[in-house]
Amino acid sequence: MKTITTTAELATYCAQAAKYPYVTVDTEFLRERTYYSKLCLIQLAYMGDGDDDAVLLDPLANGLDLAPLYDLFKDENVVKVFHAARQDLEIFFVDQGIIPKPLFDTQVAAMVCGFGEQAGYETLVRKIAKDNVDKSSRFTDWSRRPLSDAQKTYALADVTHLRVIYEYLSAELDKSGRKKWVAEEMAVLNDPATYQADPDNAWKRVKTRTSSGKFLSIVRELARFREIHAKTRNIPRNRVFKDDALVEIASTKPTSEDDLGRSRLLLREARRGDIADGILAAVQAGLNTKPEDAPRVDTSLEKLQVNPALADMLRVLVKSAADNEGVAQKLIANSADLDAIAGGLRDVAALSGWRKEVFGADALRLCDGEIGLAVKGEKVVTFTL
């Protein structure tokens, strides 16, 4: 098991990898104590004929520059293959603003190929590579050096089996003509906005039970302060204060450190100093927000007049489409999508792109009373009315 620790070694490896049509990539990282993920290890593999086609890359090695890897990520002649890529990609985007292209996510491809909802890597290794993954090193401390042989073996398996999985899924997609389906799903992963946490929108992640403009204004200001404070100090949001404390503060509207001292949920270190000052300023900013500038919860879906019978028929239709096409049902449409369609909304993902081909067009015809559903043997079929 080769471990790359110098820029020269990395440059040599990436130059060789660039001669092949794809490279598989995975990372090991820690995030429990930081806002940003701490990159601890990178695994790379291409389908060559030597012993060095799969390697471990140690980003913690002194003097190592990842520039050759980022050049490989920019090489559009080489497909970059990940499994469940979201968190891996965020690391590289935060570090250098780079999103590897072209990109292939085997989890998405597996859903398109009928391997169920959010197919796990171990499942694909077992079903496609006909092997098993040793999970014993999954939750080890990847920042400690030296890495054990068990850690190295576990980490390398994440990219060696991935080669077999990628080639199988890619061939299946070629046969079914569904590569464009996966390309559509890659749009979110290829969008830089996916990896940019906007402090102004941080309040939307906080669960509240009220739509009061004044209350939500305070929630927005508190969430904005927390996001900025956590980012600048590279600490987890919950180390500043947790969501339940945020909601409590928005309800009690403290105006002094004495008021903060009465909080049941606020961490002790947040009751004084920079955090306390930030909380009090955020509360005041929320109280001073004009009504027309207050945030508003989107209640459009709650106000929909959903026809329950139609919603149930759409659920039957989407299950039938998923079974017929061998695609994960939730990839086509989830319950909220179906209720939205039954309530008359048409700006729904299930009604565009490849989803429209397999489900959306029939869904609209069903809503318009042009078709009905019937059982034929073990299948649900449509018929024209």
Side-chain angles (χ1 to χ4, degrees), residues 16-28:
Q16 187 65 19
K19 299 176 182 178
Y20 293 85
Y22 70 87
V23 60
T24 56
V25 189
D26 191 37
T27 69
E28 306 297 340

Side-chain angles (χ1 to χ4, degrees), residues 81-84 104-116 119-121 124-125 127-129 161-179 182:
V81 182
F82 293 77
H83 181 82
F104 189 98
D105 189 322
T106 55
Q107 185 176 71
V108 174
M111 292 172 73
V112 170
C113 291
F115 283 87
Y121 183 67
L124 298 184
V125 170
K127 291 186 175 181
I128 296 175
H161 293 311
L162 195 55
R163 297 178 299 193
V164 179
I165 293 168
Y166 166 68
E167 293 198 357
Y168 175 87
L169 293 175
S170 184
E172 288 296 301
L173 292 170
D174 281 335
K175 281 191 274 183
S176 64
R178 293 179 179 177
K179 274 201 168 177
V182 175

Side-chain angles (χ1 to χ4, degrees), residues 245-266:
L246 188 155
V247 173
E248 179 193 49
I249 294 166
S251 299
T252 58
K253 306 176 185 61
T255 59
S256 67
E257 287 192 11
D258 286 342
D259 292 340
L260 292 178
R262 299 187 188 98
S263 169
R264 296 179 300 107
L265 302 172
L266 198 60

